[in-house]
Amino acid sequence: MISWPVYCQYVVLALCIQICLTEAVVPNYFPSSKALSRLEIIKHYFKQGFMYQDIVCLLLIRHGFVISLRQLKRILKRNNLCRRHETWTPIEEVTQVIRGELGNSGGCIGYRSMWRRLILDHGVRVKRDTVLRIMKQIDPEGVALRKAKRLRRRKYYALGPNYVWHVDGYDKLKPFGFCIHAAIDGYSRRVLWLEVSSSNNNSNLIATYYLETLNQIGCAPRLLRSDLGTENAMLSLLQPYFRYSARDSMAGMKSFMYGKSTSNQRIEAFWGLLRRQGFDWWINLFKDLRDMNAFDDCDPLHVECLKFCFMNVIQAELDRIAFHWNLHDVRSQKFAEAPHGKPDVLFFIPETLGAHDYGTKVNKDDVKLCMELYGTARIVCCQEFKELIRLLKPDVQIPVDANSALKLYFELTQILSQH
């Protein structure tokens, strides 16, 4: 790690870069300076597990508050915010929350991911080792199965954030009508988008994900990498368009690269992580429905009904996974050259590790125009099926969790079988 004086110099440099070159928008889970006071923002970052240096950096660059590390520590001490001697949640309450998570998609994740869920989703204060001990007691079989698996990754390194984005689709749920698409930054490993829809074959829909991300962060990557699928055809046109005025060696058409899906390492590694983060639970759920003859993938009504009931629930699960991933600590590895730290910190303030942003600033009017010309809305299910359901069940409510979605699915399929 760099010394604090050098760290401060990088902070000032980062501030200048942000003011002069970018108009990036922070993630929606970052606190707003307009809605919250300085103390509330500090509490928010503290509870999300950011390091003290990162909090000082984010306060300066994202909110315009100038405080020193010593001043931050005084503020935290006055408000009884201390990680070393903080008040822990009772073990009984922690165990109850863990049991609830294990009954859903949490049954497929490890103790580190479970610990992150407890802190970010439930506000539980607990040590990571305590979570491990509890999971060993109440789910010993699951812990043993996860411990037996090992994933070896090839070495990979990108120069800085927005140097290369990796995009790809995930088709494990495609037989059930759910097609997932994602993009990840090669340097910071930050998830840029993670979306589910009825199809990954619509190039305009993939272009919409890309344009929405450009509009949010205000810049395009130096290089965009994808596989040879036809769904990426529109990306191969839009990426060079936003990079046509660049003066580096990857300007214009060189800013987009096709390659084999197996060589798209960053995003392929993320799909393995997605399954370990609890997505295996969803795959097994839909396979169980098919095995018990409650779902027929050859019946269009069953497929549309499943999408109607579960699409928004799965999107909420994906949003939670991306949220947790972007705020988790990427551990340092002895022989790896990739940087370590929180993906959000590595992406938004790379100067702390001596890197810089390689993005190309985009004109948001151009992004808006492209959105009007090529953008399209995410498809949950066909409009005719929605109208049919409103006729058969006028009081239908969109489910908010897996249990209510499953209950609605059984109810709707029974109604449909009677007509």
Side-chain angles (χ1 to χ4, degrees):
M1 293 295 292
I2 60 176
S3 63
W4 179 245
V6 177
Y7 190 94
C8 292
Q9 293 176 8
Y10 283 134
V11 170
V12 175
L13 175 61
L15 178 61
C16 294
I17 291 174
Q18 292 295 324
I19 294 174
C20 299
L21 297 181
T22 68
E23 298 176 357
V25 179
V26 298
N28 56 10
Y29 48 80
F30 273 26
S32 170
S33 302
K34 298 179 181 178
L36 300 176
S37 65
R38 186 184 70 176
L39 177 59
E40 291 173 323
I41 294 173
I42 291 174
K43 288 181 178 180
H44 181 87
Y45 284 136
F46 179 85
K47 291 178 180 179
Q48 288 192 340
F50 283 91
M51 295 175 60
Y52 292 171
Q53 295 95 327
D54 294 335
I55 296 176
V56 171
C57 219
L58 289 167
L59 285 172
L60 174 62
I61 295 175
R62 298 297 172 187
H63 306 282
F65 294 120
V66 182
I67 67 172
S68 66
L69 182 61
R70 181 179 294 181
Q71 184 179 0
L72 173 64
K73 291 180 178 179
R74 287 200 301 266
I75 293 173
L76 294 174
K77 185 176 181 180
R78 281 201 304 268
N79 290 274
N80 297 319
L81 297 175
C82 178
R83 293 194 175 115
R84 184 172 297 179
H85 304 291
E86 66 179 316
T87 302
W88 305 110
T89 304
I91 296 297
E92 295 78 10
E93 183 178 341
V94 176
T95 304
Q96 183 178 0
V97 176
I98 292 177
R99 287 186 185 278
E101 286 289 343
L102 290 175
N104 294 287
S105 60
C108 298
I109 64 177
Y111 76 96
R112 291 185 180 89
S113 298
M114 179 66 74
W115 174 71
R116 203 173 304 120
R117 283 194 181 190
L118 296 179
I119 291 176
L120 297 177
D121 292 349
H122 302 281
V124 172
R125 312 308 300 173
V126 61
K127 293 181 179 179
R128 196 163 59 183
D129 292 343
T130 304
V131 176
L132 175 60
R133 289 196 299 270
I134 294 175
M135 292 184 67
K136 281 184 175 180
Q137 291 177 359
I138 65 179
D139 186 29
E141 183 180 355
V143 172
L145 288 174
R146 285 188 294 271
K147 189 176 181 180
K149 296 181 180 180
R150 292 290 183 268
L151 178 63
R152 294 184 179 180
R153 295 188 175 91
R154 300 189 304 272
K155 289 186 177 181
Y156 172 96
Y157 185 65
L159 297 179
N162 295 316
Y163 185 83
V164 55
W165 289 2
H166 301 268
V167 302
D168 194 20
Y170 186 69
D171 295 333
K172 295 299 182 182
L173 289 181
K174 192 172 184 178
F176 307 100
F178 305 99
C179 299
I180 299 171
H181 201 272
I184 192 168
D185 177 67
Y187 173 80
S188 64
R189 287 87 95 193
R190 181 177 190 267
V191 175
L192 301 166
W193 72 74
L194 184 58
E195 303 287 338
V196 62
S197 185
S198 295
S199 173
N200 270 348
N201 298 326
N202 187 343
S203 61
N204 290 69
L205 181 60
I206 307 304
T208 300
Y209 301 152
Y210 171 77
L211 292 170
E212 287 177 346
T213 304
L214 293 193
N215 188 60
Q216 183 194 42
I217 68 175
C219 65
R222 177 170 288 197
L223 178 65
L224 185 66
R225 178 167 183 165
S226 74
D227 58 28
L228 295 168
T230 56
E231 70 275 8
N232 298 313
M234 192 60 68
L235 290 183
S236 67
L237 300 176
L238 290 174
Q239 169 68 8
Y241 169 73
F242 288 107
R243 289 270 298 150
Y244 77 96
S245 61
R247 295 291 179 264
D248 54 72
S249 60
M250 296 182 183
M253 297 302 297
K254 295 180 180 179
S255 64
F256 184 84
M257 182 173 66
Y258 281 117
K260 291 184 178 180
S261 180
T262 52
S263 300
N264 206 357
Q265 183 180 341
R266 270 285 184 258
I267 193 68
E268 290 299 326
F270 180 75
W271 295 139
L273 170 99
L274 184 68
R275 296 194 69 159
R276 295 196 302 275
Q277 288 292 319
F279 226 72
D280 258 345
W281 185 84
W282 292 97
I283 296 174
N284 293 332
L285 172 64
F286 296 140
K287 285 183 178 179
D288 289 343
L289 288 177
R290 185 173 57 189
D291 293 343
M292 62 187 291
N293 206 27
F295 171 75
D296 182 1
D297 51 13
C298 295
D299 187 339
L301 286 178
H302 278 206
V303 175
E304 293 298 322
C305 187
L306 198 70
K307 291 191 290 187
F308 179 83
C309 296
F310 284 93
M311 187 71 74
N312 291 331
V313 179
I314 292 178
Q315 184 60 64
E317 179 80 358
L318 292 174
D319 291 341
R320 178 166 75 159
I321 290 173
F323 168 58
H324 290 180
W325 173 258
N326 289 340
L327 289 179
H328 94 294
D329 282 300
V330 178
R331 290 175 292 171
S332 61
Q333 300 178 22
K334 187 175 182 180
F335 300 105
E337 297 179 350
H340 61 276
K342 296 183 186 297
D344 267 346
V345 173
L346 296 173
F347 185 83
F348 287 106
I349 44 177
E351 293 77 16
T352 58
L353 290 179
H356 67 87
D357 193 340
Y358 283 83
T360 300
K361 187 179 180 182
V362 297
N363 187 320
K364 293 199 174 182
D365 291 334
D366 291 342
V367 177
K368 183 178 179 181
L369 177 61
C370 290
M371 183 69 79
E372 293 174 355
L373 293 174
Y374 309 114
T376 186
R378 182 171 69 98
I379 302 170
V380 175
C381 64
C382 68
Q383 187 61 33
E384 292 80 2
F385 184 81
K386 290 182 180 179
E387 294 174 358
L388 174 63
I389 292 301
R390 291 191 179 97
L391 287 174
L392 298 177
K393 186 175 174 59
D395 60 339
V396 64
Q397 299 290 329
I398 302 299
V400 296
D401 56 50
N403 291 330
S404 60
L406 191 61
K407 181 179 179 181
L408 179 62
Y409 173 77
F410 285 129
E411 184 178 351
L412 292 180
T413 51
Q414 184 177 5
I415 294 175
L416 291 170
S417 65
Q418 296 172 355
H419 290 78

